[in-house]
Amino acid sequence: MIETLKANLLSPIPLAFALGIVARLVKSEFSLPKDIYSALSIYLLFALGLKGGVELSHASFDAIVAPAGVTLLLGCITPLTAYAAMRYVGRFNASDSAGMAAHYGSVSAVTFIAAQQFMVRVGAPAEGYMPTLLTLLESPGIHIALAIGAIQRNKQLLATGGHAAAQGSMKEVLHEVLTGRTMILRVGGLIVGFFMGEAGWKAVSPFFDSGFKGALMLFLLEMGVVAGDRLGDLKKVGPFLLGFGILMPLAHGALGVVLGEWAGLSPSGAAVLGTMAASASYIAAPPAVRLTLPEANPTYSLTAALAITFPFNILAGIPIFYALAQRLAA
């Protein structure tokens, strides 16, 4: 595993991420323009959806049904365990615990892409339909976590006669999660890719495939800058959240690998599923939490997700989960 970890740290994606952190630590003014950052995220998410849809068109129902089932199970388990750890071990209030659970119950698409590229680099690509599992994993975690927090808050609204406000809040968060940019690009890309098939993919692959790794490096460079900005917040979140940001991903990731192996995924596929379960959302979850639980402190969730869990997974988590998957397969 040490050699795998070393090879990962010296590969393009972690190096680009590390450069972004260093740029911020030396107080460089470097930062990608907002429009370029937005364009890169759109490109990566849509390309991911398209490729996943094409691969899904080749997959049989029998091959995907078990992995899809365990993925949905993971989407239900991870927000509950994250909430329990925050609420009953960390002693945080219900809103902050639910907000953190929404981030850790959801998934980071960038971490997923990095895991996919790692598997390609070691010569063992994961199953082509993994982007479908990524889409399945995102929504349940957010909904379950926010439902817990919303139930607690809505109890107070109902007690004071605010029934309409309680209903409106849930409708807003459902709309935000299901129609947000991330979901539209990934789900829409999956549908487009599924129907256009291999012939259609060959026509657009020079743009969406050949330049994918380069665009990902630029995106990770900017993510390193963003994570570097959050390093100062580590003093605010305390030792519990530092441990939470590493131990919770390890627990979720190990569970994902075990369930992936049980569902018949290859070691690479199980490792990618474990990485998805170990990741924390910082794109889809924050606006949903803001709508439903505006009282939740974003410093806790964003700092843990961006300054702790994201770097851990990019630098060490992915090779750890791959080594675990290989051991289980052996």
Side-chain angles (χ1 to χ4, degrees), residues 85-94 96-97 237 240-241 300:
M86 288 288 293
R87 189 81 174 99
Y88 303 113
V89 181
R91 302 293 181 182
F92 287 79
N93 64 46
D96 288 336
S97 300
V237 300
F240 172 79
L241 285 185
Y300 297 148

Side-chain angles (χ1 to χ4, degrees), residues 143-263:
H143 288 136
I144 290 172
L146 294 186
I148 296 172
I151 286 171
Q152 300 300 319
R153 191 202 58 192
N154 288 358
K155 283 181 179 179
Q156 297 178 349
L157 288 173
L158 291 171
T160 57
H163 183 72
Q167 281 191 323
S169 175
M170 290 306 296
K171 288 180 180 178
E172 286 179 355
V173 71
L174 284 172
H175 182 270
E176 179 72 20
V177 172
L178 296 176
T179 64
R181 180 176 69 178
T182 302
M183 288 294 287
I184 291 295
L185 289 169
R186 286 216 305 259
V187 176
L190 276 170
I191 295 172
V192 171
F194 180 83
F195 283 108
M196 75 181 188
E198 193 67 39
W201 174 247
K202 287 181 180 179
V204 298
S205 62
F207 179 74
F208 283 109
D209 192 21
S210 300
F212 188 86
K213 293 180 181 178
L216 182 59
M217 280 191 70
L218 281 176
F219 190 85
L220 264 292
L221 177 62
E222 176 64 15
M223 290 306 302
V225 173
V226 174
D229 282 332
R230 288 274 171 186
L231 291 179
D233 291 338
L234 292 178
K235 300 176 183 177
K236 302 177 185 178
V237 300
F240 172 79
L241 285 185
L242 181 61
F244 178 95
I246 295 175
L247 296 178
M248 187 56 65
L250 281 173
H252 287 168
L255 177 62
V257 171
V258 171
L259 289 177
E261 289 279 354
W262 178 80

Side-chain angles (χ1 to χ4, degrees), residues 115-116 118-127 266-269 272 322 326:
Q116 289 274 71
F118 174 86
M119 302 309 157
V120 171
R121 194 165 59 250
V122 298
E127 285 79 356
S266 66
S268 296
V272 172
Y322 181 57
Q326 285 184 308

Side-chain angles (χ1 to χ4, degrees), residues 1 4-11 13-19 21 111 114 118 121 220 307-320:
M1 190 183 77
T4 303
L5 179 61
K6 181 180 178 181
N8 180 60
L9 292 175
L10 297 178
S11 64
I13 293 171
L15 286 175
F17 180 74
L19 177 59
I21 294 178
T111 307
F118 174 86
R121 194 165 59 250
L220 264 292
I308 303 172
T309 298
F310 184 70
F312 169 75
N313 280 326
I314 293 295
L315 301 175
I318 295 171
I320 288 174

Side-chain angles (χ1 to χ4, degrees), residues 52-79:
V54 173
E55 295 295 339
L56 182 62
S57 68
H58 301 155
S60 67
F61 176 80
D62 291 341
I64 198 173
V65 63
V70 299
T71 299
L72 290 173
L73 178 62
L74 274 174
C76 295
I77 293 174
T78 52

